[in-house]
């Protein structure tokens, strides 16, 4: 690879680090090269798995997600606010499904505080522990293969178990929130989330703004299949447009 191309590739990554979702024309203007050159560069960067190509542009690829114990330390205030905003939206529900993650644990804490006499089906030990603070909540823990880093179970046994339930709401987190839909860094987790969505009447994603314009390994839904996104900052640009086109209700915490 020529030095000029290497420098240009680094400049593209730098641009996407500041603005995670950019169109070809924007990158062309920023770097002072033709759109054809940018398209070739993006294809090469995508082949190296450094970015994800989108229609007319690119997204910076989400790096491997930290284990759950580390994620609990980040954006704590934002996640707590999201939990506080999400729980009242579930009023009237009797049966829920909840995915794993630091944000869903915050939602579970608020559910334990605000709701009574409900059933929650989950594959997450952290969610189950948070809900156990309320003795009127029946927690149904799915079986499966334990993933220590995520504190949750996955696999075929988990999917078969979840498929036996029909619930009012699925409440899920995400590793990445992209215009194409919510994504997760773990393919096994994404399969569980997709199953939970199929078994529920209404669908909620809870994620803070640090997940915006990030594409993780596996997409588990399209936005047209999501009812509500609870977050801390209103999404803008292509992501905001995709959410609007999908008819997603944006609920802002705080």
């Amino acid at each position: 690879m020529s030095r000029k191309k290497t420098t240009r590739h680094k400049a593209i990554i730098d641009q996407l680090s500041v603005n995670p979702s950019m169109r070809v024309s924007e990158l062309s203007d920023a770097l002072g090269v033709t759109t054809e050159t940018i398209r070739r560069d993006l294809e090469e960067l995508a082949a190296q798995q450094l970015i994800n190509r989108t229609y007319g542009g690119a997204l910076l690829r989400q790096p491997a997600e930290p284990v759950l114990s580390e994620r609990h330390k980040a954006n704590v205030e934002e996640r707590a606010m999201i939990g506080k905003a999400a729980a009242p939206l579930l009023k009237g529900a009797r049966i829920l499904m909840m995915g794993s993650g630091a944000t869903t644990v915050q939602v579970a804490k608020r559910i334990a505080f605000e709701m009574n006499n409900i059933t929650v089906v989950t594959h997450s030990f952290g969610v189950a522990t948070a809900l156990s603070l309320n003795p009127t909540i029946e927690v149904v823990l799915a079986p499966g293969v334990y993933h220590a880093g995520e504190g949750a179970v996955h696999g075929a046994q988990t999917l078969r178990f979840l498929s036996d339930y029909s619930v009012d709401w699925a409440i899920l987190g995400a590793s990445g929130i992209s215009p194409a839909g919510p994504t997760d860094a773990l393919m096994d987790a994404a399969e569980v989330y997709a199953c939970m969505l199929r078994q529920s009447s209404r669908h909620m994603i809870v994620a803070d703004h640090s997940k915006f314009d990030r594409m993780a390994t596996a997409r588990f839904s399209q936005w047209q299949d999501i009812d509500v996104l609870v977050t801390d900052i209103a999404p803008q640009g292509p992501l905001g447009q995709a959410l609007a086109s999908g008819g997603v209700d944006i609920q802002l915490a705080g």
Side-chain angles (χ1 to χ4, degrees), residues 98-101 104-105 108 120 122 124-132 139 151:
M98 297 188 69
S100 62
T104 50
V105 167
V120 180
T122 186
S124 164
F125 284 69
V127 167
T129 300
L131 293 169
S132 69
V139 180

Side-chain angles (χ1 to χ4, degrees), residues 30-52:
L31 273 64
V33 296
T34 66
T35 56
E36 290 77 11
T37 297
I38 291 295
R39 288 193 182 94
R40 287 195 298 269
D41 288 338
L42 294 181
E43 292 300 330
E44 292 178 12
L45 289 168
Q48 298 171 46
Q49 298 188 333
L50 295 173
I51 66 165
N52 286 97

